[in-house]
């Protein structure tokens, strides 16, 4: 016969000293682990921004409208299309090492675009024609996919990114939640401040290339030819016009969720889009802020 810990303590009062001590120990351990994860992701790492150069080149990419945190998943999909297997000798998952090969270009960084509606392009910069062919060959498969396969159904395109002077900074990464948070609330603001101190105005473009194996990301902010990095798309100031009437809550939740690439996504049979509708009604948020009425 065996008894587990909960069976042995089931008759103890909920607020007994032993229960309180157990709760304190668990919370302390979890807090230490959470802080350790943050430190490993660069929570206290100094932002040593310097002037450098973005290499530029032929950019074979997917252009997406999603939350920036999804860019790491997009890059893993691109690695799969390139036949890059991130596994060790034992067959276990291994960190990727695609720095200076795979890049993400983040276009909307001035806070005017709702969450989930920001635009970015992830892809490869290389002169290797065989790698380029491998990616472009997947476009035929994308034609057979539906919206449910997003972003795999997005075709690759090719653009030329210019070689320009740029603000640069190295920052640790773990590829997890902490890294996504630090990118949004530490790295972006610091680069924005530096960009403005150099005389830049309006939204700025930020580019990243990361190596999970080395645990580092290199970030670039082009200091000239900004328009070229929008790859033929609207500048942020033009793109933001449709969201001009959005409230802070709407920008936080994301506007027009039904127009997103995942309108049918649901949990337990409940569509997320319907949940967002309910939240907006509960908070008294108008459905016309994007210039379209919800039907």
């Amino acid at each position: 016969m065996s008894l587990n810990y909960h069976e042995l303590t089931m008759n103890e009062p909920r607020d007994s000293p032993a229960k309180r001590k157990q709760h304190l120990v668990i919370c302390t351990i979890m807090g230490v682990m959470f802080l350790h994860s943050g430190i490993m992701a660069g929570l206290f790492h100094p932002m040593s921004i310097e002037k450098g150069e973005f290499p530029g080149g032929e950019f074979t990419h997917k252009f997406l409208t999603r939350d920036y945190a999804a860019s790491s998943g997009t890059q893993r999909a691109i690695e799969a299309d390139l036949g890059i297997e991130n596994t060790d000798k034992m067959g276990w998952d291994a960190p990727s090492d695609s720095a200076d090969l795979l890049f993400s270009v983040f276009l909307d960084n001035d806070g005017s675009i709702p969450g989930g509606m920001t635009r970015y392009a992830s892809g490869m910069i290389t002169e290797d024609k065989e790698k380029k062919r491998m990616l472009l060959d997947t476009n035929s498969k994308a034609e057979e996919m539906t919206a449910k396969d997003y972003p795999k159904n997005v075709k690759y395109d090719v653009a030329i990114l210019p070689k320009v002077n740029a603000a640069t900074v190295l920052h640790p990464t773990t590829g997890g939640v902490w890294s996504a948070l630090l990118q949004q609330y530490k790295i972006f603001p610091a680069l924005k401040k530096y960009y403005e101190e150099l005389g830049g105005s309006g939204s700025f473009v930020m580019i990243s290339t990361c190596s999970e194996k080395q645990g580092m990301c290199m970030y670039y902010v082009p200091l000239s030819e900004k328009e070229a990095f929008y790859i033929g798309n609207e500048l942020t100031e033009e793109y933001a016009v449709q969201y001009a009437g959005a409230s802070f809550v709407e920008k936080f939740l994301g506007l027009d969720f039904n127009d997103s690439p995942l309108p049918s996504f649901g949990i337990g049979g409940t569509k997320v889009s319907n949940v967002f509708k309910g939240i907006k009604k509960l908070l008294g948020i108008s459905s016309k802020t994007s210039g379209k009425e919800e039907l």
Side-chain angles (χ1 to χ4, degrees):
M1 183 179 72
S2 63
L3 295 174
N4 63 36
Y5 177 80
H6 294 287
E7 289 174 326
L8 291 170
T9 60
M10 63 185 299
N11 293 322
E12 288 187 15
R14 182 171 295 180
D15 60 346
S16 68
K19 288 274 189 178
R20 291 198 297 270
K21 185 176 181 180
Q22 178 194 30
H23 180 71
L24 179 61
V25 170
I26 292 174
C27 289
T28 300
I29 293 173
M30 291 179 65
V32 171
M33 291 177 64
F34 182 71
L35 181 59
H36 178 263
S37 297
I39 293 173
M40 293 298 293
L43 179 61
F44 301 117
H45 187 80
M47 291 292 294
S48 301
I49 304 174
E50 300 177 352
K51 286 186 179 180
E53 188 175 69
F54 176 70
E58 194 172 62
F59 186 43
T60 306
H61 65 280
K62 288 177 179 283
F63 184 84
L64 303 170
T65 301
R66 302 187 77 181
D67 190 275
Y68 287 162
S71 63
S72 58
T74 305
Q75 289 202 356
R76 283 192 289 270
I78 296 172
E79 287 178 334
D81 288 341
L82 288 170
I84 299 174
E85 297 183 1
N86 294 313
T87 55
D88 58 22
K89 295 180 180 179
M90 301 296 293
W92 297 94
D93 288 342
S96 66
D97 189 12
S98 56
D100 300 323
L101 174 66
L102 299 186
F103 293 78
S104 287
V105 181
F106 304 103
L107 305 187
D108 306 312
N109 306 303
D110 65 356
S112 63
I113 309 301
M117 303 307 291
T118 46
R119 303 167 298 168
Y120 70 88
S122 287
M124 170 188 69
I125 295 180
T126 182
E127 296 180 358
D128 190 323
K129 294 182 179 180
E130 178 61 22
K131 284 187 170 67
K132 175 184 174 182
R133 183 193 62 78
M134 291 176 68
L135 295 185
L136 294 179
D137 282 352
T138 66
N139 284 348
S140 58
K141 298 178 182 178
E143 292 176 354
E144 303 172 0
M145 297 179 182
T146 66
K148 293 182 179 180
D149 298 305
Y150 189 86
K152 291 183 179 180
N153 66 329
V154 177
K155 293 182 179 181
Y156 286 98
D157 201 355
V158 181
I160 301 298
L161 298 182
K163 181 178 181 179
V164 296
N165 291 330
T168 65
V169 65
L170 271 172
H171 195 275
T173 182
T174 58
V177 174
W178 261 112
S179 291
L181 290 173
L182 291 175
Q183 177 177 274
Q184 184 68 33
Y185 298 108
K186 176 187 176 184
I187 300 171
F188 277 22
L191 286 170
K192 182 176 187 294
K193 181 180 179 182
Y194 186 87
Y195 174 73
E196 291 174 345
E197 287 175 350
L198 292 178
S201 61
S203 183
F204 64 97
V205 173
M206 190 183 79
I207 305 165
S208 71
T209 182
C210 300
S211 170
E212 292 180 3
K213 185 175 182 179
Q214 299 176 24
M216 296 296 288
C217 284
M218 172 66 85
Y219 292 91
Y220 302 88
V221 172
L223 300 178
S224 62
E225 301 187 53
K226 180 175 72 172
E227 292 78 6
F229 291 90
Y230 280 84
I231 317 174
N233 296 281
E234 294 178 302
L235 299 181
T236 297
E237 290 78 6
E238 299 166 348
Y239 178 61
V241 171
Q242 60 190 304
Y243 304 117
S247 67
F248 170 80
V249 175
E250 285 177 301
K251 288 183 179 181
F252 179 76
L253 295 178
L255 278 172
D256 250 353
F257 195 79
N258 286 326
D259 286 346
S260 74
L262 297 173
S264 60
F265 176 72
I267 300 175
T270 301
K271 289 186 178 181
V272 173
S273 58
N274 292 337
V275 174
F276 273 64
K277 281 184 182 179
I279 293 174
K280 289 165 73 175
K281 287 182 179 179
L282 179 65
L283 296 174
I285 299 173
S286 169
S287 63
K288 300 180 181 181
T289 52
S290 64
K292 297 176 284 185
E293 288 194 33
E294 292 179 351
L295 300 178

